[in-house]
């Protein structure tokens, strides 16, 4: 695609009843505005808009649908001289959760792309429909502008078949597109590259275990800038213990609940996705509250924390074995960036693998990428704040300008 004149990219993350957005200037990566529209379709919809260097504006009122939401966003941006009609706007980048095997990199949206995203709805029923709505709405507002889909799954498409395939009948798996896809890919891509930069090396030289720990949580093994394994699978349910999701579990538990408890598939789906993980174990999915309860001697909270850490430590060890050589372990996302007890506990006892955390460095709170391991440590342990919006904007801008150099 030929070079574009503008340097701004609007990033949209469309949920079923919300739109998160950021406007970035890719000449320097600065944020010109950030905002959120939530409770779309209700009488009490809310829009929060923060221009760079100015106070947040907020209002509440009915916003009927995503088209009305984006029009409201456009109006707020226009008040700051940043409207969607600006010639400085080069493209709109959209987060799309599931791209299957087909989409391995950011893609300019056309009718065929929309049809393929729609075809993937059965494996992403909660996310892809909302992502599609956001794209189609943006197309109506700026039909002349490139709309770019950036897929959560794309970074993980480099996994070898030995990691991506489940050990089930091949014909059945292929017919129903059953395999490990992985998610949080924009975060894992950004953090793995940022970790290499922190070490003063190129991504191609570095093996990194990335731990994206938020309410949703996932781990990845990244060899030389390419993902070779990840913890989430066909859906975001597999892998680590999360805020409300169970993570890894014997699949026969599902059959047992159907036969013995008489639960329906929808009830089990709700149990495993919304009533499990930390909230199922102790009634809280906020790590700050869990730690407060632990400090007060709450044994239920302590057990939930111990189960969370046990699973996390297993994945660190497993991905160490997959990579063979590990240069860094990087913690990111809400829990990974802010919960020092989680970081400390996750590597405790792994000194023989070269993993050590310096207590004083680990206790420091900062928005900057930083090492929390001693200088003498064989493997660097890092805290690297993720920036999925910047990653989406970077990939979008690189595509519309004909460049794929993201380093």
């Amino acid at each position: 695609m030929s070079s574009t004149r503008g340097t701004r990219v609007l990033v949209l993350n469309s949920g079923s009843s919300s739109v998160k957005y950021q406007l970035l200037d890719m000449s320097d990566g600065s944020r010109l505005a950030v905002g959120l529209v939530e409770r779309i379709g209700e009488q009490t919809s809310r829009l929060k808009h923060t221009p760079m260097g100015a106070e947040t504006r907020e209002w509440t009122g009915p916003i009927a649908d995503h088209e009305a939401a984006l029009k409201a966003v456009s109006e707020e941006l226009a008040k700051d001289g940043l409207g969607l009609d600006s010639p400085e706007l080069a493209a709109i980048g959209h987060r799309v959760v599931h791209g299957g095997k087909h989409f391995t990199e950011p893609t300019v949206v056309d009718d065929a792309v929309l049809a393929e995203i729609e075809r993937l709805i059965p494996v992403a029923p909660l996310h892809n429909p909302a992502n599609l709505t956001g794209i189609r709405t943006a197309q109506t507002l700026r039909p002349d502008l490139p709309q770019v889909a950036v897929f959560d799954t794309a970074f993980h498409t480099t996994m070898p078949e030995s990691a991506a395939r489940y050990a089930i009948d091949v014909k059945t798996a292929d017919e129903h597109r059953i395999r490990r896809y992985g998610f949080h890919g924009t975060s894992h891509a950004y953090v793995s590259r940022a970790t290499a930069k922190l070490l003063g090396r190129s991504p191609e030289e570095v093996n990194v275990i990335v731990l994206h720990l938020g309410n949703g949580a996932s781990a990845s093994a990244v060899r030389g800038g390419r993902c070779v394994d990840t913890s989430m699978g066909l859906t975001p349910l597999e892998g680590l213990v999360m805020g409300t999701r169970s993570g890894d579990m014997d699949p026969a538990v599902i059959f047992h609940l159907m036969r013995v408890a008489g639960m329906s598939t929808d009830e089990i789906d709700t149990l495993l996705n919304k009533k499990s993980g930390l909230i199922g174990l102790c009634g809280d999915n906020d790590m700050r509250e869990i730690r407060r309860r632990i400090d007060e001697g709450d044994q239920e909270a302590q057990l939930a924390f111990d189960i969370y850490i046990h699973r996390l430590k297993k994945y660190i060890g497993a991905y160490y074995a997959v990579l063979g050589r590990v240069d860094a372990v990087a913690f990111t996302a809400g829990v990974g960036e802010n919960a020092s007890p989680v970081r400390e506990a996750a590597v405790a006892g792994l000194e023989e693998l070269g993993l050590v955390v310096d207590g004083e460095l680990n206790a420091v709170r900062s928005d900057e990428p930083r090492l929390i391991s001693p200088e003498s440590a064989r493997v660097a342990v890092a805290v690297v704040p993720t920036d999925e919006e910047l990653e989406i904007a970077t990939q979008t801008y690189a595509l519309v300008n004909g460049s794929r150099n993201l380093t």
Side-chain angles (χ1 to χ4, degrees):
M1 183 168 292
S2 61
S3 179
T4 185
R5 182 163 58 91
T7 59
R8 297 174 185 168
V9 173
L10 177 64
V11 175
L12 296 179
N13 182 353
S14 301
S16 57
S17 61
S18 67
V19 175
K20 297 177 183 178
Y21 64 93
Q22 292 196 14
L23 181 65
L24 297 97
D25 189 331
M26 301 314 296
S27 64
D28 58 7
S30 64
R31 282 168 175 76
L32 303 179
V34 302
L36 167 67
V37 186
E38 55 187 348
R39 298 197 291 268
I40 295 172
E42 301 180 19
Q43 291 297 309
T44 57
S45 306
R46 183 173 68 163
L47 188 152
K48 292 179 66 176
H49 176 84
T50 307
M52 181 176 65
E55 292 186 3
T56 297
R57 301 194 296 268
E58 182 175 341
W59 61 264
T60 302
I63 296 178
D65 51 29
H66 282 71
E67 183 174 358
L70 281 186
K71 285 181 178 177
V73 170
S74 180
E75 290 171 3
E76 289 300 315
L77 289 168
K79 293 176 183 177
D80 306 309
L82 304 170
L84 296 189
D85 57 352
S86 169
E88 287 298 313
L89 190 59
I92 299 178
H94 299 265
R95 179 197 181 209
V96 179
V97 167
H98 215 308
K101 289 178 65 179
H102 185 77
F103 295 110
T104 61
E105 56 187 18
T107 305
V108 175
V109 174
D110 58 20
D111 289 344
V113 170
L114 287 173
E116 182 63 20
I117 296 172
E118 191 162 14
R119 195 176 72 87
L120 287 163
I121 286 175
V123 290
L126 298 179
H127 298 97
N128 274 30
N131 302 155
L132 278 168
T133 299
I135 294 172
R136 287 171 171 148
T137 302
Q139 285 179 321
T140 64
L141 293 177
R142 280 299 303 267
D144 59 312
L145 206 62
Q147 310 284 333
V148 176
V150 179
F151 299 91
D152 271 13
T153 49
F155 183 64
H156 304 304
T157 58
T158 56
M159 283 190 293
E161 286 292 280
S162 56
R165 281 217 176 249
Y166 292 111
I168 66 172
D169 173 66
V170 172
K171 183 178 179 182
T172 301
D174 288 348
E175 182 179 352
H176 300 287
R177 303 192 295 278
I178 298 171
R179 63 188 287 112
R180 173 170 286 107
Y181 292 103
F183 299 90
H184 295 147
T186 51
S187 177
H188 287 278
Y190 176 86
V191 170
S192 60
R193 286 204 316 275
T195 302
K197 183 178 180 181
L198 183 63
L199 299 180
R201 300 166 68 182
S202 70
E204 293 76 19
E205 299 173 331
V206 175
N207 291 354
V208 185
I209 297 172
V210 178
L211 303 172
H212 177 108
L213 307 179
N215 193 49
S218 60
S220 68
V222 182
R223 177 184 291 128
R226 295 167 62 86
C227 176
V228 295
D229 205 350
T230 192
S231 58
M232 286 179 167
L234 174 72
T235 75
L237 181 59
E238 188 180 1
L240 302 174
V241 176
M242 305 178 220
T244 66
R245 299 179 198 141
S246 65
D248 291 342
M249 187 187 66
D250 181 350
V253 171
I254 296 170
F255 313 140
H256 181 78
L257 291 173
M258 294 174 71
R259 293 172 184 143
V260 176
M263 294 178 69
S264 69
T265 53
D266 286 345
E267 288 173 328
I268 296 171
D269 190 307
T270 298
L271 171 69
L272 299 182
N273 277 290
K274 297 181 179 179
K275 298 181 179 181
S276 296
L278 292 172
I279 205 163
L281 290 167
C282 71
D284 272 310
N285 63 329
D286 187 322
M287 187 59 73
R288 293 165 297 187
E289 180 64 16
I290 291 171
R291 291 301 311 177
R292 184 194 66 77
R293 287 170 56 185
I294 290 172
D295 291 342
E296 294 178 353
D298 188 317
Q299 293 303 305
E300 193 177 60
Q302 182 68 64
L303 179 59
F305 183 81
D306 291 345
I307 293 170
Y308 182 95
I309 294 298
H310 180 77
R311 185 82 54 83
L312 185 56
K313 193 171 292 189
K314 283 174 66 175
Y315 267 92
I316 293 173
Y319 286 170
Y320 206 118
V322 166
L323 291 169
R325 187 199 84 241
V326 174
D327 299 295
V329 173
F331 290 87
T332 194
V335 174
E337 294 170 26
N338 297 298
S340 57
V342 168
R343 300 190 296 260
E344 180 182 8
V347 301
L350 301 182
E351 292 84 2
E352 291 298 317
L353 298 179
L355 290 164
V356 183
V357 163
D358 180 288
E360 290 187 7
L361 294 175
N362 189 37
V364 173
R365 296 184 67 90
S366 172
D367 294 329
E368 297 298 318
R370 61 199 185 276
L371 295 177
I372 58 171
S373 50
E375 287 187 16
S376 59
R378 194 164 79 245
V379 178
V381 181
V383 180
V384 180
T386 192
D387 197 333
E388 294 175 84
E389 290 77 16
L390 178 58
E391 179 70 15
I392 291 170
T394 300
Q395 293 193 24
T396 297
Y397 192 66
L399 178 60
V400 300
N401 278 279
S403 167
R404 298 295 299 135
N405 180 14
L406 303 180
T407 58

